Amino acid sequence: ETGVTQSPTHLIKTRGQQVTLRCSSQSGHNTVSWYQQALGQGPQFIFQYYREEENGRGNFPPRFSGLQFPNYSSELNVNALELDDSALYLCASSLGVFTDTQYFGPGTRLTVL
Amino acid sequence: GQQVMQIPQYQHVQEGEDFTTYCNSSTTLSNIQWYKQRPGGHPVFLIQLVKSGEVKKQKRLTFQFGEAKKNSSLHITATQTTDVGTYFCAGPWGAQKLVFGQGTRLTINP
């Protein structure tokens, strides 16, 4: 059984740039959620994808967008990067929606300069 | 919106001492989940509690879900250095998102 993988591990961008983060869900999981974790904080829900459709969204602006592909892998895109976007971005897969256990990937550490 | 609060924010103990973290929700939860995040790592699922008043044990860890399903606790007996990390509780908000507490960071003096 393959766990959740994310790429890249680390990324440095400058303000105003765009970034794409990638996630492969755990085998058999059809739901992917993205979280932003600032230093010293708990993960903050960005959005969830279930069978290629957005299934819920947190309090993040539209410049945070995503996709889920037929193989249930997913992308998180962030446009017009701001300094406050610097954080650990976590992808989590699950068998179903939010009542189910979230299996987290190792995360992508994004630094915006 | 729903808030999930955890106390304390930090806890430092001597190895062998007990540790407890508390989680309180502003709304009734259908379930509560607990995760552990080691330094530099990612959250790892520990347990899910569903029933009012439920108590579950995993070796030295005891998890409780309050009768009103608005609070929960995690108690670790006789801490070991492997228990170091940040412990998060999380509860579903409707069917659309999982809300995490800010976590309790546990450090241990060997």
Side-chain angles (χ1 to χ4, degrees):
Chain A
E1 184 180 88
T2 307
V4 179
T5 60
Q6 291 186 243
S7 63
T9 307
H10 296 86
L11 204 51
I12 300 175
K13 292 285 189 178
T14 56
R15 198 168 44 180
Q17 285 189 311
Q18 178 265 344
V19 68
T20 298
L21 310 182
R22 295 178 174 83
C23 170
S24 291
S25 61
Q26 184 162 315
S27 176
H29 289 183
N30 56 19
T31 304
V32 171
S33 304
W34 285 92
Y35 296 83
Q36 180 194 67
Q37 187 177 27
L39 206 59
Q41 300 295 315
Q44 298 293 312
F45 173 73
I46 303 175
F47 42 57
Q48 180 186 73
Y49 280 85
Y50 173 67
R51 294 186 176 180
E52 303 178 60
E53 297 286 331
E54 187 177 292
N55 187 48
R57 189 178 182 93
N59 297 325
F60 281 82
R63 59 189 186 84
F64 285 78
S65 63
L67 282 173
Q68 188 180 32
F69 300 99
N71 65 355
Y72 302 130
S73 65
S74 178
E75 285 183 357
L76 164 65
N77 298 289
V78 187
N79 293 322
L81 284 167
E82 301 177 359
L83 298 179
D84 286 349
D85 295 333
S86 295
L88 179 67
Y89 287 85
L90 295 160
C91 166
S93 74
S94 57
L95 281 170
V97 294
F98 292 100
T99 53
D100 289 340
T101 302
Q102 304 283 295
Y103 292 87
F104 285 88
T108 295
R109 173 72 62 186
L110 173 64
T111 302
V112 182
L113 302 176
Chain B
Q2 182 191 33
Q3 288 190 339
V4 176
M5 306 297 293
Q6 278 186 259
I7 55 170
Q9 190 174 359
Y10 302 97
Q11 185 77 58
H12 180 76
V13 301
Q14 291 289 127
E15 188 174 15
E17 291 182 338
D18 292 357
F19 160 77
T20 304
T21 175
Y22 299 92
C23 177
N24 293 288
S25 170
S26 58
T27 60
T28 302
L29 299 170
S30 59
N31 72 79
I32 193 146
Q33 301 173 28
W34 284 91
Y35 293 80
K36 176 184 178 181
Q37 186 172 21
R38 294 182 185 273
H42 58 276
V44 175
F45 174 77
L46 293 176
I47 208 161
Q48 182 182 76
L49 304 172
V50 178
K51 298 177 183 177
S52 169
E54 188 170 14
V55 178
K56 286 188 176 180
K57 293 190 176 184
Q58 288 180 350
K59 297 183 181 178
R60 295 178 294 102
L61 277 61
T62 302
F63 302 84
Q64 292 189 339
F65 200 10
E67 294 291 339
K69 300 183 77 173
K70 294 180 72 173
N71 57 76
S72 181
S73 65
L74 158 60
H75 180 82
I76 302 178
T77 303
T79 54
Q80 300 175 359
T81 54
T82 53
D83 297 325
V84 164
T86 301
Y87 293 85
F88 293 100
C89 62
W93 185 76
Q96 293 194 324
K97 65 178 180 180
L98 197 62
V99 177
F100 280 76
Q102 72 269 42
T104 296
R105 183 181 171 191
L106 173 64
T107 55
I108 298 174
N109 216 18

Short mmCIF file of all heavy atoms in Angstrom, two decimals, chain A residues 26-66:
data_model
loop_
_atom_site.label_atom_id
_atom_site.label_comp_id
_atom_site.label_asym_id
_atom_site.label_seq_id
_atom_site.Cartn_x
_atom_site.Cartn_y
_atom_site.Cartn_z
N GLN A 26 -3.33 8.14 -1.14
CA GLN A 26 -3.08 6.76 -0.77
C GLN A 26 -3.96 5.85 -1.62
O GLN A 26 -5.10 6.19 -1.96
CB GLN A 26 -3.41 6.56 0.72
CG GLN A 26 -3.09 5.17 1.24
CD GLN A 26 -3.02 5.13 2.75
OE1 GLN A 26 -2.41 6.01 3.37
NE2 GLN A 26 -3.65 4.14 3.35
N SER A 27 -3.41 4.70 -1.97
CA SER A 27 -4.12 3.74 -2.80
C SER A 27 -5.51 3.45 -2.25
O SER A 27 -5.68 3.17 -1.05
CB SER A 27 -3.30 2.44 -2.86
OG SER A 27 -3.98 1.45 -3.59
N GLY A 28 -6.52 3.56 -3.11
CA GLY A 28 -7.89 3.26 -2.70
C GLY A 28 -8.66 4.44 -2.17
O GLY A 28 -9.87 4.34 -1.92
N HIS A 29 -8.00 5.59 -1.96
CA HIS A 29 -8.68 6.77 -1.42
C HIS A 29 -9.14 7.67 -2.56
O HIS A 29 -8.37 7.98 -3.46
CB HIS A 29 -7.74 7.56 -0.51
CG HIS A 29 -7.47 6.88 0.79
ND1 HIS A 29 -6.68 7.46 1.78
CD2 HIS A 29 -7.87 5.69 1.28
CE1 HIS A 29 -6.63 6.64 2.81
NE2 HIS A 29 -7.33 5.56 2.53
N ASN A 30 -10.40 8.13 -2.49
CA ASN A 30 -10.94 8.96 -3.56
C ASN A 30 -11.12 10.42 -3.13
O ASN A 30 -11.66 11.22 -3.89
CB ASN A 30 -12.28 8.39 -4.06
CG ASN A 30 -13.29 8.24 -2.94
OD1 ASN A 30 -13.17 8.84 -1.88
ND2 ASN A 30 -14.30 7.42 -3.18
N THR A 31 -10.73 10.75 -1.92
CA THR A 31 -10.91 12.10 -1.40
C THR A 31 -9.57 12.69 -1.01
O THR A 31 -8.78 12.04 -0.34
CB THR A 31 -11.83 12.07 -0.16
OG1 THR A 31 -13.06 11.45 -0.51
CG2 THR A 31 -12.11 13.48 0.34
N VAL A 32 -9.34 13.91 -1.45
CA VAL A 32 -8.09 14.61 -1.11
C VAL A 32 -8.44 15.97 -0.52
O VAL A 32 -9.28 16.69 -1.07
CB VAL A 32 -7.20 14.80 -2.36
CG1 VAL A 32 -6.03 15.71 -2.03
CG2 VAL A 32 -6.69 13.46 -2.87
N SER A 33 -7.80 16.30 0.58
CA SER A 33 -7.98 17.60 1.21
C SER A 33 -6.63 18.30 1.30
O SER A 33 -5.60 17.64 1.47
CB SER A 33 -8.56 17.43 2.62
OG SER A 33 -9.77 16.71 2.59
N TRP A 34 -6.67 19.61 1.19
CA TRP A 34 -5.45 20.41 1.33
C TRP A 34 -5.55 21.29 2.56
O TRP A 34 -6.61 21.87 2.84
CB TRP A 34 -5.26 21.28 0.08
CG TRP A 34 -4.79 20.53 -1.13
CD1 TRP A 34 -5.57 19.97 -2.11
CD2 TRP A 34 -3.44 20.27 -1.50
NE1 TRP A 34 -4.78 19.38 -3.05
CE2 TRP A 34 -3.47 19.55 -2.72
CE3 TRP A 34 -2.20 20.58 -0.94
CZ2 TRP A 34 -2.31 19.13 -3.38
CZ3 TRP A 34 -1.05 20.17 -1.59
CH2 TRP A 34 -1.11 19.45 -2.80
N TYR A 35 -4.43 21.40 3.27
CA TYR A 35 -4.35 22.21 4.47
C TYR A 35 -3.13 23.11 4.40
O TYR A 35 -2.09 22.74 3.85
CB TYR A 35 -4.23 21.33 5.71
CG TYR A 35 -5.42 20.44 5.99
CD1 TYR A 35 -5.57 19.21 5.35
CD2 TYR A 35 -6.40 20.83 6.90
CE1 TYR A 35 -6.67 18.40 5.61
CE2 TYR A 35 -7.50 20.02 7.17
CZ TYR A 35 -7.61 18.81 6.51
OH TYR A 35 -8.70 18.01 6.78
N GLN A 36 -3.26 24.27 5.02
CA GLN A 36 -2.12 25.17 5.20
C GLN A 36 -1.76 25.19 6.68
O GLN A 36 -2.64 25.38 7.53
CB GLN A 36 -2.48 26.59 4.76
CG GLN A 36 -1.35 27.59 4.91
CD GLN A 36 -1.84 29.03 4.79
OE1 GLN A 36 -2.57 29.53 5.65
NE2 GLN A 36 -1.42 29.72 3.74
N GLN A 37 -0.50 24.95 7.00
CA GLN A 37 -0.08 24.97 8.39
C GLN A 37 1.02 26.00 8.57
O GLN A 37 2.16 25.78 8.15
CB GLN A 37 0.39 23.59 8.85
CG GLN A 37 0.67 23.54 10.34
CD GLN A 37 1.07 22.16 10.85
OE1 GLN A 37 1.62 21.35 10.10
NE2 GLN A 37 0.80 21.89 12.11
N ALA A 38 0.67 27.10 9.20
CA ALA A 38 1.68 28.10 9.55
C ALA A 38 2.46 27.61 10.75
O ALA A 38 2.00 26.75 11.51
CB ALA A 38 1.00 29.43 9.84
N LEU A 39 3.62 28.18 10.95
CA LEU A 39 4.50 27.75 12.03
C LEU A 39 3.81 27.89 13.38
O LEU A 39 3.26 28.95 13.71
CB LEU A 39 5.77 28.60 12.00
CG LEU A 39 7.03 27.97 12.59
CD1 LEU A 39 7.38 26.68 11.86
CD2 LEU A 39 8.19 28.94 12.52
N GLY A 40 3.79 26.82 14.14
CA GLY A 40 3.20 26.86 15.47
C GLY A 40 1.69 26.82 15.52
O GLY A 40 1.09 27.00 16.58
N GLN A 41 1.06 26.57 14.38
CA GLN A 41 -0.40 26.53 14.31
C GLN A 41 -0.89 25.16 13.88
O GLN A 41 -0.12 24.35 13.38
CB GLN A 41 -0.90 27.59 13.31
CG GLN A 41 -0.50 29.01 13.66
CD GLN A 41 -1.14 29.49 14.95
OE1 GLN A 41 -2.32 29.28 15.18
NE2 GLN A 41 -0.35 30.13 15.80
N GLY A 42 -2.17 24.95 14.05
CA GLY A 42 -2.78 23.73 13.54
C GLY A 42 -3.06 23.86 12.05
O GLY A 42 -3.10 24.96 11.50
N PRO A 43 -3.23 22.74 11.38
CA PRO A 43 -3.57 22.79 9.95
C PRO A 43 -4.89 23.53 9.72
O PRO A 43 -5.85 23.31 10.45
CB PRO A 43 -3.69 21.31 9.56
CG PRO A 43 -2.91 20.58 10.60
CD PRO A 43 -3.09 21.35 11.85
N GLN A 44 -4.92 24.39 8.70
CA GLN A 44 -6.12 25.12 8.32
C GLN A 44 -6.63 24.57 7.00
O GLN A 44 -5.89 24.52 6.02
CB GLN A 44 -5.83 26.61 8.17
CG GLN A 44 -5.35 27.27 9.46
CD GLN A 44 -6.43 27.33 10.52
OE1 GLN A 44 -7.55 27.73 10.24
NE2 GLN A 44 -6.09 26.94 11.73
N PHE A 45 -7.89 24.17 7.00
CA PHE A 45 -8.49 23.55 5.83
C PHE A 45 -8.59 24.55 4.68
O PHE A 45 -9.13 25.64 4.84
CB PHE A 45 -9.88 23.02 6.21
CG PHE A 45 -10.69 22.51 5.06
CD1 PHE A 45 -10.37 21.31 4.46
CD2 PHE A 45 -11.79 23.21 4.60
CE1 PHE A 45 -11.13 20.82 3.41
CE2 PHE A 45 -12.56 22.73 3.56
CZ PHE A 45 -12.23 21.54 2.95
N ILE A 46 -8.09 24.15 3.50
CA ILE A 46 -8.20 24.99 2.30
C ILE A 46 -9.39 24.55 1.48
O ILE A 46 -10.31 25.32 1.23
CB ILE A 46 -6.90 24.95 1.46
CG1 ILE A 46 -5.69 25.36 2.29
CG2 ILE A 46 -7.05 25.85 0.22
CD1 ILE A 46 -4.37 25.23 1.57
N PHE A 47 -9.36 23.32 1.00
CA PHE A 47 -10.50 22.72 0.29
C PHE A 47 -10.33 21.21 0.19
O PHE A 47 -9.28 20.66 0.53
CB PHE A 47 -10.72 23.32 -1.12
CG PHE A 47 -9.49 23.55 -1.94
CD1 PHE A 47 -8.60 22.53 -2.23
CD2 PHE A 47 -9.21 24.82 -2.44
CE1 PHE A 47 -7.48 22.76 -3.00
CE2 PHE A 47 -8.09 25.06 -3.21
CZ PHE A 47 -7.22 24.02 -3.48
N GLN A 48 -11.41 20.59 -0.25
CA GLN A 48 -11.43 19.13 -0.40
C GLN A 48 -11.96 18.78 -1.78
O GLN A 48 -12.86 19.44 -2.30
CB GLN A 48 -12.34 18.50 0.65
CG GLN A 48 -12.42 16.98 0.57
CD GLN A 48 -13.44 16.39 1.54
OE1 GLN A 48 -14.64 16.49 1.34
NE2 GLN A 48 -12.93 15.77 2.59
N TYR A 49 -11.40 17.73 -2.35
CA TYR A 49 -11.88 17.21 -3.62
C TYR A 49 -12.34 15.77 -3.44
O TYR A 49 -11.66 14.94 -2.84
CB TYR A 49 -10.80 17.30 -4.69
CG TYR A 49 -10.70 18.67 -5.27
CD1 TYR A 49 -9.94 19.65 -4.64
CD2 TYR A 49 -11.41 19.02 -6.41
CE1 TYR A 49 -9.87 20.93 -5.15
CE2 TYR A 49 -11.35 20.30 -6.93
CZ TYR A 49 -10.58 21.25 -6.29
OH TYR A 49 -10.53 22.52 -6.79
N TYR A 50 -13.51 15.50 -3.95
CA TYR A 50 -14.09 14.16 -3.91
C TYR A 50 -14.50 13.79 -5.32
O TYR A 50 -15.34 14.48 -5.92
CB TYR A 50 -15.28 14.13 -2.96
CG TYR A 50 -16.06 12.85 -2.95
CD1 TYR A 50 -15.51 11.68 -2.48
CD2 TYR A 50 -17.38 12.81 -3.42
CE1 TYR A 50 -16.23 10.49 -2.47
CE2 TYR A 50 -18.11 11.63 -3.40
CZ TYR A 50 -17.52 10.47 -2.93
OH TYR A 50 -18.24 9.29 -2.92
N ARG A 51 -13.90 12.74 -5.84
CA ARG A 51 -14.20 12.30 -7.20
C ARG A 51 -14.17 13.46 -8.19
O ARG A 51 -15.10 13.65 -8.97
CB ARG A 51 -15.56 11.59 -7.23
CG ARG A 51 -15.55 10.29 -6.44
CD ARG A 51 -16.83 9.52 -6.57
NE ARG A 51 -16.75 8.24 -5.87
CZ ARG A 51 -17.73 7.35 -5.82
NH1 ARG A 51 -18.88 7.59 -6.43
NH2 ARG A 51 -17.58 6.23 -5.16
N GLU A 52 -13.11 14.19 -8.15
CA GLU A 52 -12.76 15.27 -9.09
C GLU A 52 -13.59 16.54 -8.93
O GLU A 52 -13.42 17.48 -9.71
CB GLU A 52 -12.85 14.78 -10.54
CG GLU A 52 -11.97 13.57 -10.82
CD GLU A 52 -12.12 13.07 -12.25
OE1 GLU A 52 -11.85 13.85 -13.19
OE2 GLU A 52 -12.50 11.89 -12.42
N GLU A 53 -14.45 16.61 -7.92
CA GLU A 53 -15.26 17.80 -7.70
C GLU A 53 -14.88 18.43 -6.37
O GLU A 53 -14.64 17.72 -5.38
CB GLU A 53 -16.75 17.46 -7.68
CG GLU A 53 -17.30 16.89 -8.98
CD GLU A 53 -17.43 17.97 -10.05
OE1 GLU A 53 -17.64 19.15 -9.70
OE2 GLU A 53 -17.31 17.62 -11.24
N GLU A 54 -14.87 19.77 -6.30
CA GLU A 54 -14.63 20.43 -5.03
C GLU A 54 -15.80 20.15 -4.11
O GLU A 54 -16.97 20.39 -4.47
CB GLU A 54 -14.45 21.94 -5.23
CG GLU A 54 -14.02 22.65 -3.95
CD GLU A 54 -13.77 24.13 -4.13
OE1 GLU A 54 -12.80 24.50 -4.81
OE2 GLU A 54 -14.57 24.93 -3.58
N ASN A 55 -15.49 19.72 -2.89
CA ASN A 55 -16.52 19.25 -1.97
C ASN A 55 -16.61 20.10 -0.70
O ASN A 55 -17.28 19.74 0.23
CB ASN A 55 -16.23 17.80 -1.57
CG ASN A 55 -17.32 17.19 -0.75
OD1 ASN A 55 -18.49 17.29 -1.09
ND2 ASN A 55 -16.95 16.57 0.37
N GLY A 56 -15.92 21.20 -0.68
CA GLY A 56 -15.93 22.05 0.51
C GLY A 56 -14.73 22.96 0.45
O GLY A 56 -13.70 22.60 -0.12
N ARG A 57 -14.87 24.14 1.03
CA ARG A 57 -13.80 25.11 0.98
C ARG A 57 -13.71 25.88 2.28
O ARG A 57 -14.74 26.22 2.87
CB ARG A 57 -14.05 26.08 -0.18
CG ARG A 57 -12.90 27.00 -0.49
CD ARG A 57 -13.19 27.90 -1.68
NE ARG A 57 -12.02 28.73 -1.97
CZ ARG A 57 -11.08 28.40 -2.83
NH1 ARG A 57 -11.17 27.29 -3.52
NH2 ARG A 57 -10.04 29.19 -3.02
N GLY A 58 -12.51 26.13 2.72
CA GLY A 58 -12.29 26.94 3.91
C GLY A 58 -12.22 28.41 3.56
O GLY A 58 -12.55 28.82 2.44
N ASN A 59 -11.77 29.21 4.52
CA ASN A 59 -11.73 30.66 4.34
C ASN A 59 -10.46 31.11 3.63
O ASN A 59 -9.62 31.80 4.21
CB ASN A 59 -11.85 31.36 5.70
CG ASN A 59 -13.19 31.07 6.35
OD1 ASN A 59 -14.20 30.95 5.67
ND2 ASN A 59 -13.18 30.95 7.66
N PHE A 60 -10.30 30.69 2.41
CA PHE A 60 -9.14 31.07 1.61
C PHE A 60 -9.64 31.77 0.35
O PHE A 60 -10.68 31.41 -0.19
CB PHE A 60 -8.31 29.83 1.24
CG PHE A 60 -7.43 29.36 2.37
CD1 PHE A 60 -7.95 28.56 3.38
CD2 PHE A 60 -6.10 29.73 2.43
CE1 PHE A 60 -7.15 28.15 4.43
CE2 PHE A 60 -5.29 29.32 3.47
CZ PHE A 60 -5.82 28.52 4.47
N PRO A 61 -8.88 32.78 -0.12
CA PRO A 61 -9.32 33.55 -1.29
C PRO A 61 -9.28 32.72 -2.57
O PRO A 61 -8.63 31.66 -2.61
CB PRO A 61 -8.32 34.71 -1.35
CG PRO A 61 -7.11 34.20 -0.65
CD PRO A 61 -7.60 33.28 0.43
N PRO A 62 -9.93 33.21 -3.63
CA PRO A 62 -10.00 32.46 -4.90
C PRO A 62 -8.65 32.22 -5.55
O PRO A 62 -8.54 31.34 -6.42
CB PRO A 62 -10.87 33.36 -5.78
CG PRO A 62 -11.66 34.16 -4.82
CD PRO A 62 -10.77 34.40 -3.64
N ARG A 63 -7.62 32.96 -5.14
CA ARG A 63 -6.31 32.69 -5.76
C ARG A 63 -5.74 31.34 -5.33
O ARG A 63 -4.75 30.89 -5.89
CB ARG A 63 -5.34 33.85 -5.46
CG ARG A 63 -5.09 34.10 -4.01
CD ARG A 63 -4.30 35.40 -3.80
NE ARG A 63 -3.96 35.54 -2.39
CZ ARG A 63 -2.92 34.96 -1.83
NH1 ARG A 63 -2.08 34.23 -2.57
NH2 ARG A 63 -2.67 35.11 -0.54
N PHE A 64 -6.39 30.71 -4.36
CA PHE A 64 -6.09 29.32 -4.02
C PHE A 64 -7.09 28.45 -4.80
O PHE A 64 -8.30 28.54 -4.57
CB PHE A 64 -6.26 29.06 -2.52
CG PHE A 64 -5.17 29.62 -1.67
CD1 PHE A 64 -5.13 30.97 -1.36
CD2 PHE A 64 -4.16 28.79 -1.16
CE1 PHE A 64 -4.11 31.49 -0.57
CE2 PHE A 64 -3.15 29.30 -0.36
CZ PHE A 64 -3.12 30.66 -0.07
N SER A 65 -6.57 27.65 -5.70
CA SER A 65 -7.45 26.79 -6.49
C SER A 65 -6.85 25.39 -6.56
O SER A 65 -5.69 25.19 -6.25
CB SER A 65 -7.65 27.35 -7.89
OG SER A 65 -6.41 27.38 -8.58
N GLY A 66 -7.68 24.45 -7.00
CA GLY A 66 -7.19 23.08 -7.04
C GLY A 66 -7.82 22.26 -8.14
O GLY A 66 -8.72 22.71 -8.86
#
